[in-house]
Amino acid sequence: MLRGRALEIVDERGKVRAQLRVFPPDPKHKLPSGDPYPETVLLRLIDPNGRPSVKLATDVRGGGLYLGGAEDPTMARLGAEGAEARLELVNKDRQEKVIRP
């Protein structure tokens, strides 16, 4: 058994390439709703340039998956918060599509 507050995997140069961490609640930072930021568990997979290209997160509101493209703002984000689900797609030209059931 491995226990701790965070786990980091580094490459041969010592750069962090994967991180699993529990972030405590942060009342100083607010969500768009105005609520304080809740405790969050976050897994990041980081590309060779130091950019987190994959994020998987969960908190008391729900969970989400973020997949970043090679260039900002290209990304796909799938999330469920409360009783709502959402899929957001953004390409390099900032063309965006949001799908909600």
Side-chain angles (χ1 to χ4, degrees), residues 28-87:
K28 294 178 187 174
H29 292 91
K30 305 291 182 188
L31 297 168
S33 66
D35 294 332
Y37 211 85
E39 178 182 84
T40 303
V41 179
L42 180 62
L43 169 67
R44 291 182 179 130
L45 303 180
I46 302 161
D47 72 18
N49 297 319
R51 185 170 180 259
S53 296
V54 176
K55 295 180 186 178
L56 179 61
T58 187
D59 62 39
V60 295
R61 301 168 301 143
L65 173 65
Y66 166 90
L67 304 170
E71 295 183 38
D72 282 333
T74 307
M75 63 93 178
R77 183 172 27 215
L78 174 63
E81 184 175 330
E84 300 292 321
R86 172 184 171 130
L87 173 62

